[in-house]
Amino acid sequence: MPVPLNRRDFVRSGAAAAGLGLTARANGAPAVQSRASVPVVISSSNGNSYTHDGKETCVVRAFRLMTEGTDVLDALIEGVNIVERDPQDTSVGYGGLPNADGVVQLDSCCMHGPKKRAGGVAALEGVRIPSLVAKAVLEQTDHHLLVGAGAQTFARQLGFTVEDDLNTPESRRLWLEWKRRIDPEHFLDPEKRARAGADAGLAMVREGLIDGAHYFGTINCNGVNTRGEVCGVTTTSGLAWKIPGRVGDSPILGAGLYVDGQVGAAGSTGRGEANLFGLCSYLVVEQLRQGKSPKDAGMEALRRIKANTIETRLLDDRGQPRFQVSFYVVNRAGQFAGVSLFEGDYAVCTANGPETRPTEALLPGKANW
Ligand code: GLY
């Protein structure tokens, strides 16, 4: 099982002090010299859970590289690569839960605040680390988004390894279980079939076969260094058992991620359709621009999502959304917040080390899948 790193491990490793020019106080605790911005890396909670058999989680590696002087976006992407490569996270990269045809299709985007550049890929098959292909779109093309076969050809041309199948035995086992549950429904009309597919998937979450965070799962990771340079990246295998070709919020600029180098960054995990409808990461960054705190900016987006959720199929018996959406928000000064519709967690790494913290929730209790 993945094990979150704690603050003591981090400080003991010396990683926090490595690139910050920290001075030791008399009691041995590091003191940060005053800077324009307080460096921080914030992510969804899987950013402090998976190590892909190494020692560092995503936020620890990204923070260490960033504070050692690596470009912020390069550091964040090295961080999320750990989760993309780790088959234990069935929501991202290799071993991500596949679409309805059993094919793993990956989405990712990234934004570089200071350079004002962006890149993304959607419905990409065969490449374990879609965030690096998104970065190649940012760096090497005049475009912002490549999809499907075109994205895969682009990756192959640049020398990325393209594999036939990114399923692991575990992701294939869970897909077969889902398929078995909906087979009797295959001859229903399309609307009933879609509902049956969603109901079977959510039942697997309720029964504990799939972690709810992995059904809609994703990793978003944002950071700011001491110079106030802000970047972000989001990468995902998207909604489990989605219709082939479905693209969620993750690779869409303004939805799964938005960065404005003068203001801050916001990214999301959770039900992509709810976020796409309101381009909520853009909304969050615009709220930051108007002077709101990261928490208040994120809450505004969550209220918008709640107000836009009116279809009964998406509401539980309390009239609340039947899904989770979370935002990970950081402003240029290094203030940050993790917020969600319902109780959740997020990861953060500062000079004090990595932590997994509870999000600020708009609504009480847990998501009622
Ligand atoms: N937020 C991930 C997705 O909906 O695809």
Side-chain angles (χ1 to χ4, degrees), residues 216-218 236 238-239 246 248-250 269-272:
F216 296 106
T218 300
T236 189
L239 176 67
R246 176 266 190 188
D249 57 334
S250 300
T269 59
R271 181 178 154 76

Side-chain angles (χ1 to χ4, degrees), residues 263 265 283-301 303 329-331 335-337 339 360:
V263 178
L283 173 65
V284 172
V285 173
E286 287 304 297
Q287 297 288 309
L288 292 178
R289 190 192 308 283
Q290 288 166 26
K292 284 214 172 123
S293 69
K295 176 187 160 191
D296 290 347
M299 286 295 174
E300 179 60 31
R303 278 192 289 275
V329 189
V330 62
N331 66 20
Q335 296 168 312
F336 59 86
V339 301
E360 304 273 356

Side-chain angles (χ1 to χ4, degrees), residues 111-154:
M111 294 185 76
H112 198 292
K115 293 180 183 167
K116 298 197 181 296
R117 296 195 68 165
V121 288
L124 172 63
E125 297 176 12
V127 182
R128 293 187 186 202
I129 40 174
S131 62
L132 275 176
V133 187
K135 186 159 89 90
V137 173
L138 176 154
E139 287 175 342
Q140 302 190 41
T141 78
D142 180 40
H143 310 313
H144 282 338
L145 184 60
L146 298 180
V147 308
Q152 190 189 62
T153 300
F154 172 76

Side-chain angles (χ1 to χ4, degrees), residues 260-274:
D260 184 315
Q262 302 304 313
V263 178
S268 70
T269 59
R271 181 178 154 76
E273 282 71 11

Side-chain angles (χ1 to χ4, degrees), residues 136-308:
V137 173
L138 176 154
E139 287 175 342
Q140 302 190 41
T141 78
D142 180 40
H143 310 313
H144 282 338
L145 184 60
L146 298 180
V147 308
Q152 190 189 62
T153 300
F154 172 76
R156 186 179 281 112
Q157 286 167 343
L158 290 190
F160 285 90
T161 302
V162 178
E163 300 174 63
D164 285 343
D165 186 1
L166 294 184
N167 276 293
T168 57
E170 179 64 2
S171 64
R172 190 174 291 105
R173 184 184 72 77
L174 288 167
W175 177 77
L176 282 169
E177 171 68 19
W178 174 80
K179 200 75 178 159
R180 182 187 65 71
R181 290 180 183 220
I182 66 158
D183 249 349
E185 314 292 347
H186 266 155
F187 299 99
L188 290 174
D189 70 57
E191 191 181 330
K192 284 186 182 159
R193 186 180 157 198
R195 176 80 69 96
D199 286 349
L202 289 172
M204 290 171 73
V205 174
R206 286 194 295 275
E207 290 168 29
L209 280 170
I210 309 172
D211 178 351
H214 288 184
Y215 186 66
F216 296 106
T218 300
I219 182 166
N220 161 249
C221 187
N222 309 315
V224 58
N225 65 10
T226 52
R227 289 188 294 277
E229 294 168 339
V230 191
C231 295
V233 58
T234 302
T235 178
T236 189
S237 51
L239 176 67
W241 332 135
K242 60 195 173 186
I243 293 176
R246 176 266 190 188
V247 172
D249 57 334
S250 300
I252 304 300
L253 306 178
L257 174 69
Y258 197 71
V259 178
D260 184 315
Q262 302 304 313
V263 178
S268 70
T269 59
R271 181 178 154 76
E273 282 71 11
N275 180 22
L276 256 177
F277 190 79
L279 289 179
C280 288
S281 290
Y282 182 75
L283 173 65
V284 172
V285 173
E286 287 304 297
Q287 297 288 309
L288 292 178
R289 190 192 308 283
Q290 288 166 26
K292 284 214 172 123
S293 69
K295 176 187 160 191
D296 290 347
M299 286 295 174
E300 179 60 31
L302 293 169
R303 278 192 289 275
R304 190 77 63 92
I305 286 173
K306 181 170 181 295
N308 283 333

